[in-house]
Amino acid sequence: ATPEAFAAQPDLVWGWYEWRRAQVARAAPNAAHRAIAALARRLPALTLVTQNVDNLHERAGSAAVIHLHGSLHAPRCSACGHAADFAPDDGLDGPAEERAITPPACIACGAPIRPGVVWFGESLPAGAWRAAQEASADCDLFFGIGTSALVYPAAELPLRAARAGAT
């Protein structure tokens, strides 16, 4: 889960992420995903910020999700950042460590497409981070659900909310 690993073994990294994406495609939102979506329908001002890279919040019915760590479902060019489309392959079964799939080439520049997630050593997407900071500084109630709240910079969000007077 690093840019260096992708540069050294793009087939192995891309194959593993394709296997992971296929696993996520077979998963279903859980009660927490559904409860958050239901709450958002009752409180239109609710802002959902997630560190998850799956699309389970959206599949549960949440809209306008802020993805701090990117998405398995939004691959992009490793060189120019051009968004890439792909045909889902839900037939990826078997051990992930045996997967080696050549990443597709970017239609804009020809460089390999990479998974749309934030890897170790990378910055959070600027727009998502800015939106999360603004939402936490402007909220009156902050829920931290399913996170240890120990890894920065995301761990800063509840502290920012508390400093701004949120419960």
Side-chain angles (χ1 to χ4, degrees), residues 59-150:
R59 288 171 44 201
S62 292
V65 178
I66 299 170
H67 288 271
L68 281 185
H69 291 163
S71 172
L72 289 171
H73 306 284
R76 64 182 185 276
C77 178
S78 59
C80 74
H82 182 78
D85 291 324
F86 58 88
D89 182 356
D90 295 336
L92 292 173
D93 291 320
E97 62 274 7
E98 294 177 6
R99 295 268 160 244
I101 302 171
T102 302
C106 175
I107 62 169
C109 74
I113 297 299
R114 59 158 284 174
V117 300
V118 175
W119 283 327
F120 293 105
E122 293 184 319
S123 297
L124 299 179
W129 178 237
R130 188 172 34 261
Q133 288 178 305
E134 290 170 3
S136 63
D138 193 37
C139 70
D140 53 5
L141 178 63
F142 187 103
F143 287 106
I145 302 169
T147 180
S148 66
L150 296 175

Side-chain angles (χ1 to χ4, degrees), residues 35-49 62-64 135 143:
I36 292 167
L39 184 60
R41 286 190 292 276
R42 298 186 75 165
L43 301 170
L46 185 142
T47 301
L48 175 57
V49 179
S62 292
F143 287 106

